[in-house]
Amino acid sequence: RDPDDRVKANAVEAIRRLELPKDKTQNLLQPFLKHPDNRVRGNAVISLVNIGAVEPGPMFEAMRDDPDKWIRATLGYILSIVEYPKALPLIVELLKDEDGDVRKNAARALANRARDEETELLIRLLTDHTPFVRQQAVQTLGRIRSVPSVSTVTKMFTSERNFKIRSAIITSLGQIGDQ
């Protein structure tokens, strides 16, 4: 009931941590699934998906198509946290979004799920305009020890000017070479 959305978002998260019965949690949080604030809505979605109280597919698709960039960015954040077997196609779509904040959260979600099969996608992300997206791609290629990415990542080192990304390149090449 607090008018401040940050307080509401924190309250939604606190309700999840109380481990109340599923029906009680659902009754308390269901109204927040349409809340206009992305944090409030995101915390409600995470809580209700994690307890199996809602079918995430239609909700995730609606968030993906929302005109508000923060709702789309929140979907990327949610997909980095919740288990959802159909997450990868949604993440790929979010990675194509025109907004850098949306792509940042999608890159984080991809980083949490990526395996060898995503190497080509990760290599394409090395040229993204948003530094965080490039950094996540480099770090993830190192984590999955992607040998096919070595030449591209090595070439990237010669042109990349962001020191955090250059450092991540060295670390990732070391991880790949250490297998």
Side-chain angles (χ1 to χ4, degrees):
R1 294 183 185 160
D2 196 284
D4 186 278
D5 287 334
R6 286 190 180 266
V7 173
K8 286 178 187 171
N10 290 344
V12 167
E13 190 172 347
I15 289 170
R16 176 185 61 183
R17 292 181 180 178
L18 290 174
E19 298 183 13
L20 299 170
K22 179 179 173 178
D23 60 331
K24 179 77 170 170
T25 302
Q26 187 171 3
N27 287 338
L28 289 169
L29 298 183
Q30 192 82 29
F32 295 106
L33 290 177
K34 298 289 185 183
H35 197 279
D37 182 79
N38 66 300
R39 288 186 180 107
V40 174
R41 187 185 304 186
N43 284 349
V45 168
I46 291 167
S47 296
L48 292 171
V49 167
N50 281 342
I51 64 169
V54 294
E55 168 55 40
M59 188 174 8
F60 288 170
E61 290 171 14
M63 292 178 79
R64 174 201 61 207
D65 298 335
D66 198 290
D68 182 346
K69 80 167 197 169
W70 293 114
I71 297 297
R72 297 189 313 275
T74 297
L75 175 59
Y77 173 73
I78 291 167
L79 293 173
S80 75
I81 293 175
V82 301
E83 289 298 321
Y84 181 59
K86 300 176 185 174
L88 194 57
L90 288 169
I91 293 167
V92 169
E93 288 185 55
L94 292 174
L95 287 167
K96 297 175 186 174
D97 199 281
E98 63 193 33
D99 186 83
D101 290 311
V102 174
R103 290 193 317 278
K104 280 169 42 174
N105 283 356
R108 183 177 286 124
L110 178 62
N112 289 347
R113 298 174 184 276
R115 293 190 289 280
D116 288 337
E117 296 82 29
E118 285 75 51
T119 294
E120 287 302 316
L121 174 59
L122 289 162
I123 289 173
R124 285 196 306 270
L125 294 178
L126 297 175
T127 60
D128 194 276
H129 298 298
T130 303
F132 184 84
V133 173
R134 294 194 310 275
Q135 184 176 349
Q136 284 290 301
V138 167
Q139 290 171 333
T140 305
L141 287 164
R143 182 181 55 76
I144 65 173
R145 296 181 174 196
S146 172
V147 173
S149 71
V150 168
S151 65
T152 305
V153 172
T154 302
K155 288 177 194 169
M156 181 184 183
F157 185 78
T158 62
S159 60
E160 180 60 57
R161 296 293 153 231
N162 184 301
F163 76 93
K164 289 181 181 179
I165 298 171
R166 289 172 59 83
S167 178
I169 289 170
I170 297 299
T171 301
S172 291
L173 288 172
Q175 289 173 313
I176 295 167
D178 190 33
Q179 54 177 346

